Structure formats: C-alpha cells, structure tokens
C-alpha cells in the first residue's frame, strides 16, 4: 500500500465512510431546517423567530463544520501538511463565527423576552464547549501554525490536541441533544408523550446527530486510516530520530 | 520501561488518572443519591418512588460500572490476559443486571401510572444503548472467551470491539444527561430558570457525568497507557508473525 516517494492511495473503505458521514451531516442540517420551518415558523432576526437562529447555527457550526474540520487529515491525505493544517484551522474559524451568531441570537432573544440566561444544563455545557473550543484553537495555532514550537514539543502536544478535539466535538453533539430535548419539552409539554409528529421528527433528528457523531469518531479513530507521512515529512522525521535516538512521532 | 520477561511498571501518571476517575465516578453516584434523597423523596419499589430506582440504577450500572469495566485492561496491566478478560466480562454482566432493574422500574412505574412508554429521545437512546450493549457483550464473548475464534480473527475484530465499547459508554453518558434534563424539566418547569437549588445541583451532576466520561475516554485512548503484551503473549504474537509474515496485532 505505502509508497513513500509518491502518493499513498486512500484505504479502500475510507471514501465510503467519509461520503456516509457527509450524507448524515447534511441530513442533520436539512432536518433541523425542516423542523424549524414546519413546526417553529421558520427563521428571522427581528422577531420572536430570532430564537430559531440558535439551533440552526449551532448545528451547522459546532456539529457539521466542526466534524468536517476534524476529518480533513483523513480526506486530504496527500496534500502538504501545512495546507491541510490551514484548512483545518479555517474550518474551525468558520464554525466558530457561525456558532457565535447562534450564541448572540439566543442571548438577544432572552434579553428581549426577559428570560434568564445560563440556568440550564444545556447552557452550562454550551459555555463549556465555547471556552474549550476557543482555548483549543488558540493553543493549536500557537503550537502548529506559528513557527516557534519545536518539532519535539509539537509531537508531545499532538495527541492531547487530537483527544481534546474529539472530546469537544462529542460534547458539542451532546449539548445539541440537550438543547433539542429542552426545546421539545418547553413547546410540547405533555403532548410529547402522545407521539406528536414534531416530537417524533425531533427524536429522529436526535438519532441522526448521534449517528453523525459516531461515524466521525469511527473515521478519526481507525488506526489504519490515519494520514500517512509524506516523503519530505518522513525525511524530517528520520533526521529527528537520528538526532534524538528517540521514537519518531506518529502522523496526525 | 519495558521488560518482556517480568512485570511492566505502570506509566507514571496512569494511577493518578485512574484514582481521579474513581473519585469522579463515586461522586456521580453519591450526588445522584443525594439528589433523589433530598429532592425526590428517596427510593422504594412499591410506591410512586419506584421511578427513582431508574436513574440510580442506570448511573451505577451503565455509567460507573461500565466505565470501570473499560478500564480493567489499563488497571490490571500485569495479570494474565484471560483473568482480565473474565473480569471485564463480569463487570459488564453486573452493569447489565443493575441496569435491567432500572429498566424494569421505569416500565413498571409507567404501567402503574398509565404513562406512555418510549416516546422521548431519552428513551430511544436508552433502548439503543441496551441493544448495542447486549450485542457487543455477546459478540465479545464469542470472539474472546470461547476458544473457537482464531488468533487472526480476534486481532481483526479487536479494534471494532474497542471502538464500539467506547461509543456505547459515551452514548450511555449522553442518555443519562438527557434523562436528567427530562426529570428536571418535568418537575421544575419554569422554576428551573429561577436557579432553584435542585436545578443547580442537577446541573453540577450533569457536569460531573461529562467529566467522568471524558477522564475514562482519556485513559482509554492514551496510546502509551495501553496494556503491554505479557511475556507469553509476546512469544505467541511472534510465532504468529513468523507464520503469517504479517503484522502482529497490537495489545488491547
């Protein structure tokens, strides 16, 4: 399979799993839109519909785009590492900006309606996601994109960055599930237990969110699907190995 | 660090992380008990308090014990593989039996009160956890404890078993969060937004659940904390390598 001097072909099943993850992710976004359109009156900034901006932006930013940002090292296997890193960082910026719009929407809606902020488990988890996301992005930028950090420092930080990236993504999916549940119980109340169509649709959306999270995690954790070292990175890694007589770091 | 002929010492920080995970897990169980005792009237089988059996059993079985069952390969690093496997399987049996009591409690409570079953996202996720848990246990038993499966078949199935084990555990934690949220919104309603003490305690419980899930996942995924091969397993692995000229499987 491996040919250090040229392009490494993607493992056989990887493209199908990536395609499936994209199908799931786009379905999640579409079903969220359909739910808000069919049962919640759609979306607008200057009205009571402002609340609906919140779930849509969070699903697009912190679930779909964040998930895709984690997959770039599996999808763009043969691009230069630096190009892939920049794409990874930029997708996170896009995810963050969209999520910020969603965050402003819900605080603004609460302010106009006189509803208390940050009392629920959903909101506590959401703030935790935001703080961790921002910290992870800044630390990642410092270690991997600025030239200051040494090769050995990067190698030691990389596994932590990967773990926290996956954990923040999973917490985002969990927080979305809590928010969905909250929106259902506030709106439907006891009608939820009568299998109202909105409740069933939202439950299906919840399972789709779980499935998207699971497939992204599966692609990320398959050891044989990790990005192979490119020829020039292998040379660098070998030089480093010779210098330190330690182990070469695994690729991200 | 490694000494194939003798005992491999545990990596320096691992015992502290394991101790922290146990502290978190026991705190989660204690806070669940305190919440049910202080705000929900405690626990009994033959009364309206039967419902309270459900959250307590699920937290003990599918969160705390399931989490600990995943950690046995990190904690008992120098025991024979077979002993560790049996402990892993038995902890899952214990977790399943306790969770089954919790499941019967909620269905029985619903039946007595005339409440519909399985309408909520929490219940859908819960049933999914149960089905996956049982399937994973049976397939794991067939592959790893019965002597029928070949060494190469086990090696190929092992990464799938590890992934699904972690995914089912995380889904269990997520389902517990959904259930907690449901119990809060049913009981507190709009009082939740007034920062009632029960709501704050339950939010703290939610964050503790997230922290327990994260620490268990961290211990499981640290590459250098995986269980080292014992001397006799290394010999077997080498024999297999010679026979097949393939890669030796990584330890679980």
């Amino acid at each position: 399979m491996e040919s250090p001097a040229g392009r490494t072909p993607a493992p056989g099943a990887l493209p199908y799993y990536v395609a499936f993850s994209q199908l799931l992710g786009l379905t999640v976004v579409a079903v969220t839109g359909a739910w808000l359109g069919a049962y919640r009156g759609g979306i607008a900034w200057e009205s009571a519909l402002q609340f609906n901006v919140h779930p849509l932006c969070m699903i697009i930013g912190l679930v779909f785009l964040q998930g895709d940002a984690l997959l770039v090292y599996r999808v763009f296997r043969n691009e230069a590492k630096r190009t892939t890193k920049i794409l990874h960082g930029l997708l996170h910026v896009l995810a963050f900006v969209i999520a910020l719009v969603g965050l402003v929407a819900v605080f603004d809606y609460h302010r106009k309606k006189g509803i208390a902020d940050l009392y629920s488990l959903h909101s506590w988890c959401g703030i935790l996601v935001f703080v961790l996301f921002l910290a992870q992005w800044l630390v990642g930028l410092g270690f991997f994109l600025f030239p200051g950090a040494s090769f050995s420092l990067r190698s030691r930080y990389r596994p932590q960055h990967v773990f926290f990236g996956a954990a923040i993504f999973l917490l985002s999916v969990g927080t979305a599930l809590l928010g969905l549940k909250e929106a259902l119980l506030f709106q439907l109340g006891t009608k939820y237990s009568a299998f109202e169509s909105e409740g069933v649709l939202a439950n299906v959306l919840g399972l789709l969110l779980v499935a998207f999270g699971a497939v992204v995690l599966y692609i990320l954790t398959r050891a044989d699907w990790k990005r192979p070292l490119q020829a020039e990175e292998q040379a660098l890694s070998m030089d480093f190995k010779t210098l330190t007589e330690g182990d070469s770091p695994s690729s991200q």
Side-chain angles (χ1 to χ4, degrees), chain A:
Chain A
M1 284 285 276
E2 299 237 349
S3 65
R7 296 170 70 86
T8 315
L14 175 58
Y16 298 101
Y17 277 81
V18 170
F20 184 52
S21 75
Q22 297 313 290
L23 188 68
L24 273 173
L26 290 171
T27 308
V28 162
V29 173
V31 173
T32 306
W35 165 54
L36 294 171
Y39 296 101
R40 302 288 170 123
I43 279 176
W45 192 262
E46 291 296 342
S47 76
L49 299 177
Q50 187 181 20
F51 176 82
N52 295 347
V53 175
H54 176 69
L56 189 66
C57 282
M58 291 317 193
I59 292 284
I60 294 174
L62 288 181
V63 176
F64 183 58
L65 286 177
Q66 188 180 187
D68 274 10
L70 303 187
L71 294 182
V72 295
Y73 293 102
R74 304 294 176 278
V75 175
F76 301 101
R77 307 170 61 76
N78 292 297
E79 307 304 319
K81 187 77 176 256
R82 197 172 170 80
T83 316
T84 321
K85 273 185 197 175
I86 291 172
L87 180 62
H88 178 74
L90 283 181
L91 271 174
H92 276 102
V93 171
L94 188 60
F96 184 75
V97 169
I98 293 175
L100 205 60
V101 174
L103 197 69
V104 170
V106 72
F107 276 101
D108 207 36
Y109 172 81
H110 276 187
R111 190 180 50 77
K112 287 174 188 165
K113 291 269 178 181
I115 300 171
D117 290 320
L118 300 179
Y119 63 86
S120 74
L121 181 56
H122 165 70
S123 63
W124 289 24
C125 288
I127 292 297
L128 185 63
V129 162
F130 248 81
V131 171
L132 291 175
F133 185 102
L134 203 58
Q136 164 93 345
W137 192 86
L138 289 172
V139 177
L141 186 78
F143 271 87
F144 296 126
L145 276 170
F146 282 126
S150 71
F151 190 78
S152 95
L153 201 62
R154 288 183 181 185
S155 307
R156 267 181 290 150
Y157 170 58
R158 187 177 295 119
Q160 311 291 333
H161 185 77
V162 172
F163 172 79
F164 278 97
I168 294 166
F169 168 67
L170 292 175
L171 186 56
S172 303
V173 173
T175 305
L177 292 175
L178 286 175
L180 185 63
K181 183 101 199 185
E182 196 171 278
L184 281 180
L185 288 175
F186 280 147
Q187 184 91 355
L188 294 177
T190 51
K191 283 194 290 178
Y192 193 15
S193 64
F195 293 89
E196 283 270 319
S197 58
E198 179 180 354
V200 175
L201 179 72
N203 287 358
V204 171
L205 175 56
L207 291 187
L208 286 168
L209 276 163
V210 169
F212 179 68
V215 173
V216 168
L217 194 68
Y218 185 80
I219 296 171
L220 283 181
T221 54
R222 270 283 291 252
D224 52 337
W225 288 358
K226 292 202 192 307
R227 179 178 178 279
L229 286 178
Q230 301 297 302
E232 64 280 12
E233 295 163 25
Q234 283 194 335
L236 189 69
S237 166
M238 291 301 283
D239 285 350
F240 181 70
K241 206 174 191 174
T242 317
L243 278 171
T244 61
E245 295 185 345
D247 286 322
S248 80
S250 62
S251 74
Q252 192 164 27

